[in-house]
Tab-separated table of all heavy atoms in Angstrom:
chain	number	residue	atom	x	y	z
A	67	VAL	N	-11.663	8.598	8.347
A	67	VAL	CA	-10.620	9.607	8.142
A	67	VAL	C	-9.661	9.112	7.057
A	67	VAL	O	-9.242	9.864	6.184
A	67	VAL	CB	-9.901	9.940	9.443
A	67	VAL	CG1	-8.691	10.843	9.163
A	67	VAL	CG2	-10.852	10.626	10.424
A	72	ARG	N	-7.339	9.320	1.708
A	72	ARG	CA	-7.017	8.570	0.474
A	72	ARG	C	-7.537	9.327	-0.755
A	72	ARG	O	-6.853	9.452	-1.765
A	72	ARG	CB	-7.592	7.172	0.539
A	72	ARG	CG	-7.218	6.285	-0.649
A	72	ARG	CD	-7.766	4.888	-0.505
A	72	ARG	NE	-7.125	4.150	0.576
A	72	ARG	CZ	-7.721	3.705	1.653
A	72	ARG	NH1	-9.027	3.900	1.815
A	72	ARG	NH2	-7.047	3.047	2.553
A	77	GLY	N	-3.825	8.221	-3.574
A	77	GLY	CA	-3.103	6.937	-3.547
A	77	GLY	C	-3.606	6.124	-2.333
A	77	GLY	O	-4.422	6.589	-1.558
A	85	ASP	N	-5.269	2.930	9.003
A	85	ASP	CA	-5.885	1.584	8.916
A	85	ASP	C	-5.266	0.686	9.963
A	85	ASP	O	-5.919	-0.110	10.605
A	85	ASP	CB	-5.740	1.038	7.509
A	85	ASP	CG	-6.558	1.761	6.462
A	85	ASP	OD1	-7.600	2.346	6.883
A	85	ASP	OD2	-6.192	1.732	5.277
A	86	MET	N	-3.941	0.782	10.097
A	86	MET	CA	-3.244	-0.060	11.038
A	86	MET	C	-3.661	0.283	12.481
A	86	MET	O	-3.883	-0.595	13.300
A	86	MET	CB	-1.746	0.111	10.899
A	86	MET	CG	-0.904	-0.774	11.769
A	86	MET	SD	0.854	-0.567	11.450
A	86	MET	CE	1.173	0.982	12.240
A	96	ALA	N	-10.547	-6.810	21.607
A	96	ALA	CA	-10.640	-8.266	21.671
A	96	ALA	C	-9.809	-8.817	22.835
A	96	ALA	O	-10.233	-9.758	23.524
A	96	ALA	CB	-10.175	-8.892	20.352
A	111	ARG	N	-2.787	2.495	24.245
A	111	ARG	CA	-1.834	3.601	24.474
A	111	ARG	C	-1.003	3.855	23.252
A	111	ARG	O	-0.724	5.025	22.904
A	111	ARG	CB	-0.913	3.210	25.663
A	111	ARG	CG	-1.562	3.284	27.025
A	111	ARG	CD	-0.671	2.637	28.054
A	111	ARG	NE	-1.152	2.813	29.429
A	111	ARG	CZ	-0.634	2.222	30.480
A	111	ARG	NH1	0.355	1.364	30.305
A	111	ARG	NH2	-1.132	2.408	31.666
A	132	ALA	N	-4.558	18.950	-3.560
A	132	ALA	CA	-5.841	18.530	-3.017
A	132	ALA	C	-6.401	19.614	-2.128
A	132	ALA	O	-7.395	19.345	-1.464
A	132	ALA	CB	-5.646	17.218	-2.209
A	150	ARG	N	20.350	3.786	6.282
A	150	ARG	CA	21.260	3.618	7.428
A	150	ARG	C	21.542	5.004	8.040
A	150	ARG	O	21.709	5.958	7.333
A	150	ARG	CB	22.581	3.025	6.995
A	150	ARG	CG	22.436	1.538	6.707
A	150	ARG	CD	22.263	0.773	8.037
A	150	ARG	NE	22.249	-0.665	7.796
A	150	ARG	CZ	21.099	-1.353	7.594
A	150	ARG	NH1	19.967	-0.711	7.585
A	150	ARG	NH2	21.174	-2.667	7.453
A	162	PRO	N	14.800	16.822	18.312
A	162	PRO	CA	13.795	16.630	17.305
A	162	PRO	C	14.039	17.612	16.127
A	162	PRO	O	14.282	18.802	16.357
A	162	PRO	CB	12.456	16.902	17.991
A	162	PRO	CG	12.747	16.687	19.448
A	162	PRO	CD	14.158	17.114	19.620
A	200	ASP	N	2.954	-33.773	-4.350
A	200	ASP	CA	2.300	-34.580	-3.287
A	200	ASP	C	1.301	-33.751	-2.534
A	200	ASP	O	0.197	-34.252	-2.175
A	200	ASP	CB	3.386	-35.082	-2.302
A	200	ASP	CG	4.364	-36.028	-2.999
A	200	ASP	OD1	3.966	-36.764	-3.890
A	200	ASP	OD2	5.553	-35.980	-2.602
A	219	ALA	N	5.826	-19.301	-1.622
A	219	ALA	CA	6.608	-18.098	-1.822
A	219	ALA	C	5.950	-16.859	-1.180
A	219	ALA	O	6.592	-15.822	-1.089
A	219	ALA	CB	6.864	-17.858	-3.294
A	245	ALA	N	-5.043	-30.296	14.189
A	245	ALA	CA	-5.855	-29.172	14.681
A	245	ALA	C	-5.087	-27.994	15.239
A	245	ALA	O	-5.493	-26.837	15.082
A	245	ALA	CB	-6.785	-29.738	15.771
A	251	PHE	N	-2.814	-21.134	12.239
A	251	PHE	CA	-2.888	-20.393	10.981
A	251	PHE	C	-4.151	-19.514	10.892
A	251	PHE	O	-4.133	-18.402	10.402
A	251	PHE	CB	-2.783	-21.315	9.759
A	251	PHE	CG	-1.385	-21.659	9.368
A	251	PHE	CD1	-0.505	-22.309	10.268
A	251	PHE	CD2	-0.907	-21.310	8.144
A	251	PHE	CE1	0.750	-22.594	9.914
A	251	PHE	CE2	0.421	-21.624	7.746
A	251	PHE	CZ	1.247	-22.263	8.630
A	267	ILE	N	1.241	-9.183	12.556
A	267	ILE	CA	1.263	-9.488	13.974
A	267	ILE	C	1.043	-10.982	14.163
A	267	ILE	O	-0.038	-11.485	13.804
A	267	ILE	CB	0.195	-8.688	14.766
A	267	ILE	CG1	0.307	-7.194	14.488
A	267	ILE	CG2	0.257	-9.013	16.251
A	267	ILE	CD1	-0.810	-6.392	15.135
A	296	PRO	N	19.033	-11.769	23.694
A	296	PRO	CA	18.386	-12.395	22.588
A	296	PRO	C	18.431	-13.898	22.665
A	296	PRO	O	19.459	-14.503	23.049
A	296	PRO	CB	19.163	-11.856	21.357
A	296	PRO	CG	19.673	-10.537	21.775
A	296	PRO	CD	19.997	-10.715	23.239
A	297	ALA	N	17.367	-14.558	22.306
A	297	ALA	CA	17.183	-16.002	22.498
A	297	ALA	C	18.258	-16.794	21.752
A	297	ALA	O	18.671	-17.901	22.217
A	297	ALA	CB	15.795	-16.449	22.060
A	316	VAL	N	2.284	-17.965	27.980
A	316	VAL	CA	2.311	-18.813	26.778
A	316	VAL	C	0.878	-18.962	26.212
A	316	VAL	O	-0.037	-19.316	26.961
A	316	VAL	CB	2.894	-20.198	27.103
A	316	VAL	CG1	2.748	-21.104	25.887
A	316	VAL	CG2	4.352	-20.042	27.522
A	317	ARG	N	0.693	-18.711	24.951
A	317	ARG	CA	-0.587	-18.895	24.279
A	317	ARG	C	-0.683	-20.290	23.757
A	317	ARG	O	0.200	-20.804	23.067
A	317	ARG	CB	-0.729	-17.888	23.118
A	317	ARG	CG	-0.700	-16.446	23.571
A	317	ARG	CD	-0.828	-15.513	22.382
A	317	ARG	NE	-2.109	-15.676	21.756
A	317	ARG	CZ	-3.182	-14.926	22.066
A	317	ARG	NH1	-3.062	-13.961	22.979
A	317	ARG	NH2	-4.309	-15.084	21.479
A	350	GLN	N	2.031	-26.511	30.066
A	350	GLN	CA	3.264	-27.214	30.300
A	350	GLN	C	3.855	-27.722	28.995
A	350	GLN	O	5.080	-27.563	28.744
A	350	GLN	CB	3.020	-28.405	31.278
A	350	GLN	CG	2.767	-27.950	32.702
A	350	GLN	CD	2.672	-29.134	33.655
A	350	GLN	OE1	2.413	-30.205	33.217
A	350	GLN	NE2	2.856	-28.852	34.926
A	411	THR	N	35.520	-15.861	19.570
A	411	THR	CA	35.856	-17.037	18.767
A	411	THR	C	35.001	-17.230	17.524
A	411	THR	O	35.274	-18.164	16.748
A	411	THR	CB	35.722	-18.320	19.637
A	411	THR	OG1	34.351	-18.429	20.086
A	411	THR	CG2	36.617	-18.257	20.836
A	424	GLY	N	22.963	8.570	25.340
A	424	GLY	CA	21.994	9.501	24.779
A	424	GLY	C	21.002	8.795	23.883
A	424	GLY	O	20.289	9.427	23.113
A	471	PRO	N	33.461	-3.210	19.835
A	471	PRO	CA	33.397	-4.607	20.195
A	471	PRO	C	34.391	-5.035	21.290
A	471	PRO	O	34.019	-5.782	22.225
A	471	PRO	CB	33.639	-5.342	18.876
A	471	PRO	CG	33.184	-4.381	17.831
A	471	PRO	CD	33.501	-3.006	18.375
A	473	GLU	N	35.912	-3.305	23.684
A	473	GLU	CA	35.518	-2.761	24.970
A	473	GLU	C	34.245	-3.442	25.496
A	473	GLU	O	34.115	-3.706	26.723
A	473	GLU	CB	35.290	-1.278	24.876
A	473	GLU	CG	35.090	-0.573	26.225
A	473	GLU	CD	35.054	0.916	26.124
A	473	GLU	OE1	35.389	1.457	25.027
A	473	GLU	OE2	34.654	1.573	27.092
A	477	LEU	N	33.666	-5.639	29.069
A	477	LEU	CA	32.586	-5.399	30.005
A	477	LEU	C	31.801	-6.702	30.291
A	477	LEU	O	31.355	-6.984	31.430
A	477	LEU	CB	31.582	-4.374	29.446
A	477	LEU	CG	31.944	-2.917	29.673
A	477	LEU	CD1	30.871	-2.027	29.054
A	477	LEU	CD2	32.023	-2.604	31.160
A	483	ALA	N	32.283	-11.735	36.207
A	483	ALA	CA	33.023	-11.794	37.492
A	483	ALA	C	32.290	-11.064	38.597
A	483	ALA	O	32.775	-11.054	39.723
A	483	ALA	CB	34.418	-11.190	37.270
Side-chain angles (χ1 to χ4, degrees):
V67 173
R72 185 177 290 119
D85 289 335
M86 185 176 75
R111 286 168 172 170
R150 284 290 183 268
D200 297 326
F251 274 62
I267 304 174
V316 174
R317 299 179 65 92
Q350 289 185 339
T411 61
E473 188 174 349
L477 275 180

